[in-house]
Amino acid sequence: MILEESPDGEGGGEDGILLQPADGGSVRKGCNPLVQTQRSRLQNHRARINQQINKEMRMRTGAENLFKATTNHRVKETVALELSYVNSNLQLLKEELEELNSSVDVYQNESEGISVPMIPLGLKETKDLDLATPLREMISEHYGEDSTSYEVEIKKLMDLRQAIRTPSRNETGLDLLMEYYNQLYFLDLRFFSPSRNLGVFFHWYDSLTGVPSHQRTLAFEKGSVLFNIGALYTQIGARQDRGTRTGIDCAIEAFQRAAGAFNYLKENFSNAPSLDMSVASLSMLVRLMTAQVQECVFEQLTLAGTPQEPLSQMRLAQEAARVEDVYSLVYQTMVQPPVRDYVPFSWTTMVNVKAKHFRGLSHYYAAIALCDGPADSEIPKYEKAFLQFHVTVPEGPSLPVLLQDSEERRKLAKAHLRKAMMNHEEALRLHAVCRILRKMDLLQEVVSLAHRRSLAKYSEIDHEDDFFETAEAPEVHPKTHQKPEIKTPNFSQVKVTDIFHRLGPLSVFSAKNQWRLKGPIRLTRGEGGFGFTLRGDSPVLIAAVIPGGRAEAAGLKEGDYIVSVNGEPCKWGKHSEVVALLTGVGEEGVDIEVVTPQREEPLGLVDKKATTLASVGLLRSDKENGGQVTLPGPLLGWNKKAKRSQGPRRLQPFSAAADNTSASH
């Protein structure tokens, strides 16, 4: 469960969610882009920078082509000067975008409590897309229907795509993105044929660099939406009030879902056209999200303040060491090429600051555990815990002597506090080096508070007559009681109905199938009925044509699907409904329309069980079409890692196609 956002232009009400449309379409709507919240201003600024980067890159491409093509030295000098100017502009825009990506404080919770800021991601921006014309052409040419009768459906799809550009920062916004993500499954099957190109390019901007990318494949659209699902989870996690148990639980859930979205994208996509969706970037983001989950786990243990019992203090020290361990791994990932070339410097610095900060905390809690020490009767229990507490054995006396001698414990505690202060001082130094982090007072306040606390404890246990040389304290062994989970987004939580449901069941009426429409065909009843048998639902199949009967004379064939009876559409008709329409006709006969598939349909699409109706020569199936299915988990296809040599592959987003195309609650 994710905490809902208050109505500030990013939640419910007139500026956010449309509660119930009159036509029964999607109930979800994006935020009102005119509402000037901090987040909307930031995203609008990001969109403007993306557009400027796109313009400068087009100018650079044109100048480079001219430079290569011309042989005139004066023109070359002019073009070289122009290229220098364009590259300078691109560098400035890149720095401006990096500063926007570093504006993590905009996404933080505004409660009065002091908590370390988290790193969220901005959403990928996209260009306006006109799908109306190619969809109309496909409906007219492939499906043979009047495209003007589908204007409502086309508008619903375009409105839904427009809405996902400004999702609200709560569960409703996530549902909006997932609704469009699931709707792309139907769009792919309906309109994206392996033998026909719609001529549509999907344009998306890189979230980290602002560089535009475009592809014809629907997989790029779907992958970009999935990236934004993960990015929105990071924003939801960052804005939780982690001063409460509920807020921490919600933050953990959100960051785990974000890690799951990025990990799913990494495992199912390869050769991504944009850097933010590359394997290296997604691996870094997964590690960053799990590190932030681990930080929240540590914060859970400190909600009630510093525990007084030494074993609990040791547990806190090991939890802090675990947080430092995962942040150090994230830092190492960020400073490796190619990630270091486009990840904001402020992110890399903040991760390093957190690693130093939590290493300092691990030594601080180790020190106070040693200072408080166990009672004599509890030494055996503490001895077992201390055996696995340090990475290496501390210098000095043996462990039993250490636990019994308060003076030896004080010496080791001083060594730990010294390391704690050194790490916090290094964290403050790193914080001061980064211009953007210097503006983030909250992070500096948290680290400074921890440093002052370590210094105060050191002064408390320091004696004037301490002339011994402080030994080097060993590192605390990292350990956690709750490992982060990488949770794949639950795509089936949002049930959708195919917007273009009226085109017919996907088992027959899809982009990859070919068929020929016949009719209307006038049939009259003979002595043996109409001369054919029926089976299956949605659509009803002509299972057999009786030789010499009326159906054969009219040109009907085995394998035809009935799509209309006396002008009544029945693509989605149940077996019993079509039988009722046929049995209800008089001597004047009936007009039917059928489609003849151009490829053999598998028998599994229809029910093989049938009963004979001798009076009219029809077969009736015992199977009734329920008309409702739940979407299975989607499978993405771009360039599969195991088959890269085959080139781009068309999106196959779900594991199996059902006979009917709606999903419900």
Side-chain angles (χ1 to χ4, degrees), residues 523-532 545-546 549-552 556 581-586 589-590 615-618:
L523 279 181
T524 57
R525 184 184 288 111
E527 293 182 0
F530 290 113
F532 58 70
V545 176
I546 300 174
R550 299 293 177 89
E552 185 182 54
L556 296 179
L581 289 173
L582 293 172
T583 56
V585 303
V590 61
S615 60
V616 292
L618 300 176

Side-chain angles (χ1 to χ4, degrees), residues 63 71 106-107 200 230 238 291 422 440 462 479 506 541 578 619 632 661:
T71 57
V106 173
Y107 299 96
V200 175
M422 289 173 59
M440 201 175 298
D462 186 33
K479 185 179 179 181
L506 280 167
L541 173 74
V578 175
L619 288 180
T661 58

Side-chain angles (χ1 to χ4, degrees), residues 63-80:
E64 288 174 344
N65 291 337
L66 179 57
F67 187 85
K68 294 176 183 177
T70 186
T71 57
N72 188 308
H73 291 293
R74 181 171 296 180
V75 173
K76 275 184 174 292
E77 290 177 0
T78 304
V79 173

